Each structure stands twice: as structure tokens, then as C-alpha cells.
Amino acid sequence: MKLSQLHGVLIDLDGTLIDTAPDLAAAANRMRADFGLPPLPLARIAAFVGKGAEVLVHRALTDDLDGRADPQAFARGRAAFYAHYTVENGLQAIVFERVPQALQQLRDRRLRLACVTNKPKQFTVPLLAKVGLAPYFDATVAGDEVAEKKPHPALLLEACRRLQLKPTEVMLIGDSVNDVQAARAAGCGCVLVETGYNEGEGVVALAGAPGLDAIVASLAEAVHWIVQRHPARAHDATTQ
């Protein structure tokens, strides 16, 4: 996309803004304990992250990326996971280095910001508030606020609607193939960071994928990539 036409940035949460894997693993393992199952390693549960809480429950119960728990077990597991994650959410999560400064850089460019995540709203809003990132965003769109989660483009399109921008006027910063596919389907640009989970696979392998503009080390580097290519407006020049 032409960054001269950029007016907004959409940003994924888990693995992009914040390392949430410790909290998710704690809640998932507490759920597994309720079923008499042994705990799984943090890295294993991190690989299950990416398609929302309900898919995480299926994967954590079955210890399988493609696993599906039977309906009764899933219903019980979902209730247990939601209860445990309500307690764990934000306890061990760590905002990645220089994220607040990077978000402020985007705001200084008068770019509108939205957080777009497959995480349910009941966990998203409190977490962003708890870690102090909520004030940077003009909108937040959670996975249970739309009919389909990423890689479907619904989250991104709803964020664009709330920001009153066209998809061609926004860039998505994410951490997985789900983000690339969602951005491409929505018609947005996309930059991936290497700090996330991507269902256990490194994002470097996605280099050259249709719709992917760049792969960088972190959110701070993604913002640097955008700022270097986004022309400062007259107002910006007078305030810097």
C-alpha cells in the first residue's frame, strides 16, 4: 500500500502488544487440572494461541493443534478456562519493550489506532486498561464482537468502520499468518512482528506472502518501519 495514504493502524494484542502467554498458560493448565490432566509447557500452550479462546480450549484439552474436545467436555472446559483466565488475566502479562513510546509515535503522526484481537471483549478491555495501553486506542474490536474471527477480515473491517477509514487507508501490525490472511482479505497493508506465537511456527517463513509488506523484530520496529515511510504532515513538522 502507499503509506502516503495511511490514516490508521490496526494492532493485534496477544504476542504483538503484550506477551500474554504466561497468563493463558496458567489458566489453561488450571483448566486441565480440573479434568485431572497434567500441565503442559508454556511453549506448547503458546503455540495454541491465535484463533481465539474457544479454539485454545479445544487445543489445550486435547493437546493437539487440530484437536476438538467432545461437546460436553468443551462446554465444561470453556467455563473453567473463562473462570480461571478472569483471575489470571494481566497477572504475568508483560508489555513488550518500547510499546507505549511506539504507540505515542503513531498518535503524534495523527494516525488513528485500533486494537483488533480474537480475544473476547471481557478479557481484552480489562487487560489493556490494567497495563496502561487503553488510552492510546481510538477503538478496540474483540473477537466476540463480530461474526468471524481472524483470519476472516470481519474484525479489521469493523475496526475501519469505527475509525471511519477505508481498509486501503490502514495498516495492520500482527504476529501470525492469521493476521496476514485477514489483512489481505480486508484490503489492508500488513507488517508482522517476530515476538508472537503464530501457532508455533516462525513468521520468517511467511516472507513474500501476498499482502505482507514486511517482517520486523518487534512492535517498536514495526512502528519505526511505518514512520520512516509515512510522510510527516505540516502539522507534525510544527510539533516535533
Side-chain angles (χ1 to χ4, degrees), residues 42-148:
L42 172 62
R44 179 63 174 166
I45 293 177
F48 293 157
V49 177
K51 286 191 167 67
E54 295 190 351
V55 173
L56 173 59
V57 168
H58 279 294
R59 290 171 168 177
L61 283 176
T62 61
D63 190 16
D64 184 346
L65 268 173
D66 300 314
R68 300 286 295 181
D70 70 69
Q72 186 175 359
F74 170 74
R76 179 185 164 203
R78 180 185 184 279
F81 176 80
Y82 274 53
H84 293 315
Y85 192 48
T86 297
V87 175
E88 298 291 342
N89 188 26
L91 292 183
Q92 301 179 73
I94 299 173
V95 175
F96 288 116
E97 188 176 2
R98 294 189 291 142
V99 162
Q101 296 90 334
L103 296 178
Q104 188 59 52
Q105 275 187 287
L106 295 176
R107 293 194 66 86
D108 289 345
R109 289 276 173 144
R110 295 188 294 163
L111 294 169
R112 294 179 61 75
L113 305 184
C115 179
V116 290
T117 175
N118 282 345
K119 186 187 292 293
K121 184 177 181 179
Q122 71 186 81
F123 303 126
T124 299
V125 173
L127 178 58
L128 288 174
K130 188 169 189 175
V131 300
L133 297 183
Y136 292 101
F137 292 100
D138 301 292
T140 298
V141 187
D144 54 355
E145 294 186 272
V146 294
E148 300 284 347

Side-chain angles (χ1 to χ4, degrees), residues 71-238:
Q72 186 175 359
F74 170 74
R76 179 185 164 203
R78 180 185 184 279
F81 176 80
Y82 274 53
H84 293 315
Y85 192 48
T86 297
V87 175
E88 298 291 342
N89 188 26
L91 292 183
Q92 301 179 73
I94 299 173
V95 175
F96 288 116
E97 188 176 2
R98 294 189 291 142
V99 162
Q101 296 90 334
L103 296 178
Q104 188 59 52
Q105 275 187 287
L106 295 176
R107 293 194 66 86
D108 289 345
R109 289 276 173 144
R110 295 188 294 163
L111 294 169
R112 294 179 61 75
L113 305 184
C115 179
V116 290
T117 175
N118 282 345
K119 186 187 292 293
K121 184 177 181 179
Q122 71 186 81
F123 303 126
T124 299
V125 173
L127 178 58
L128 288 174
K130 188 169 189 175
V131 300
L133 297 183
Y136 292 101
F137 292 100
D138 301 292
T140 298
V141 187
D144 54 355
E145 294 186 272
V146 294
E148 300 284 347
K149 299 176 178 64
K150 293 180 290 183
H152 193 279
L155 272 166
L156 280 59
L157 295 175
E158 175 60 17
C160 289
R161 187 190 69 80
R162 295 186 190 183
L163 295 179
Q164 297 183 308
L165 296 173
K166 300 174 183 177
T168 53
E169 295 176 320
V170 304
M171 175 76 69
L172 172 67
I173 302 176
D175 73 327
S176 74
V177 64
N178 296 320
D179 293 307
V180 177
Q181 291 173 352
R184 184 185 181 195
C188 306
C190 184
V191 176
L192 289 186
V193 299
E194 297 177 339
T195 53
Y197 314 125
N198 193 38
E199 300 179 280
E201 300 292 333
V203 293
V204 174
L206 297 173
L212 178 58
D213 293 280
I215 299 173
V216 296
S218 65
L219 182 121
E221 290 298 321
V223 169
H224 178 75
W225 186 93
I226 290 171
V227 168
Q228 289 296 303
R229 291 160 178 79
H230 181 251
R233 300 181 177 95
H235 177 271
D236 301 325
T238 61

